[in-house]
Structures are given as structure tokens and as C-alpha cells.
Amino acid sequence: MKDEILCIASNQLMAGGYDALNFARIAEELETTRANLHHHFGNKEGLAREATERYIEASLSMMRGLIAQHPGDFPAYLQTIETMFLDGVASGAGRGCICSQLLRSGDAPDALAALSKSFFARKIAMMTDLLKASQAAGAIRKSVSAEFLALSASTMLMGLPQMAAAAEHPAAFARSMRGVLAKWVEPW
């Protein structure tokens, strides 16, 4: 039951941030009581925190795995991430980011906002390390700041799902965007 609650809570958080998290809707969907949700998580913030921590760990674990597959090759890593994002958009299964929703909505408790900011800092640090390894391997020019490239790449990656959501035909948007990040990183 706890995993099912967290799954629904994650979807609500991705869809609309902290304000969208709703015990009554979760209880109704699972045909249980709100008291059962309170038993597992205490309150809304407790549920949001556990869902966010779970999302962060899964995201960072995936990122570590992809970096391990592409050591010293940021362009290949970026292409893999782009493909994953765009495949999700094209199939309709593309999911947003809990942390970006929590920060964008502005209604999250301070502890959740801090957790979300920490997640982004960790992602940028991991990308920066990969970029530095890529520079050492000659895959990326050393004349460009690895930190700048990590922040720029993260900004572009975060924008892909947002732009796809705004597109009239998300699957067509996904097809048209294939390779855009490879073209962006090419001159570096």
C-alpha cells in the first residue's frame, strides 16, 4: 500500500507541485481512508518529503548508471539522456520533475524547497565531473568552463519536457528535436 501511495503522490507532485498533493484523492483512488495515509506518512509534508526523496534517489541512481556507461564522453551521455526524454514524450509516458515542480509552484515548505535545490546542485556537480573527465579525454574542449556547460546542458534538458508539453503535437515535437543536444554540444 505504501508504494502505491508514493506512486500516486509522485504523479500529483509532478503534475502540479505541492498544492496538487491531495490526501483525499489518493485515498479515493486506492479505495482506502485518509487515516491510512496519515498512518504511513503523518501529514502532507511527510508524504511529499518521502515521495521527493524517492524520486531524487531514483534520478541520481539513473544518472550514476548513465555516467558509468559513458565515462569521459559527455556527448554520448547527453545523447542518451535526450533520447530517454524524447522517447518518453513521444510515447506519452514522459514524466516531469518533482523538484522543479516544487520550486516552480512556490508553495512547498522550506524543507522541501531546500531538498529540491540540493538535488539540482548534486546533478550539476555530477555533470561537471563528467564534463571535466570528457575534457581530459579530449571529447570536450578545455577552453570552456565545465561548470558553465553543466548548467547550460541541465537547463536545456529541463526545458525539453516543458516545451513538449506546450507543443500542439508532443510526439511530432519529440521527432523534430532528435539530435538537438548533440548539435548544441558539437562546437564545444
Side-chain angles (χ1 to χ4, degrees), residues 1-82:
M1 173 68 78
K2 191 172 183 180
D3 285 341
E4 292 169 302
I5 295 167
L6 285 167
C7 182
I8 295 168
S10 294
N11 289 335
Q12 288 181 354
L13 289 166
M14 280 186 231
Y18 189 74
D19 222 22
L21 186 60
N22 186 295
F23 268 47
R25 287 196 324 251
I26 295 171
E28 182 180 320
E29 189 171 333
L30 293 174
E31 298 178 355
T32 189
T33 64
R34 290 183 354 187
N36 189 21
L37 276 67
H38 285 282
H39 166 74
H40 286 292
F41 302 100
N43 58 24
K44 180 177 177 174
E45 186 173 347
L47 174 56
R49 174 174 273 291
E50 195 158 334
T52 302
E53 287 172 345
R54 181 187 234 195
Y55 169 82
I56 288 170
E57 186 46 46
S59 295
L60 293 177
S61 177
M62 181 209 50
M63 193 172 175
R64 284 189 291 272
L66 292 175
I67 288 171
Q69 288 176 13
H70 304 291
D73 192 353
F74 184 75
Y77 165 82
L78 196 60
Q79 184 62 48
T80 301
I81 291 286
E82 178 193 73

Side-chain angles (χ1 to χ4, degrees), residues 21 23-24 31 35 59 61 73 84 89-90 92 94 96-97 105 107 116 124 130 132 137 146 150 152 168 172 174-175:
L21 186 60
F23 268 47
E31 298 178 355
S59 295
S61 177
D73 192 353
M84 289 171 58
V89 168
C97 172
S105 65
D107 56 3
S116 297
I124 296 298
L130 176 59
K132 287 178 180 177
S152 299
E168 187 173 339
R175 284 190 301 277

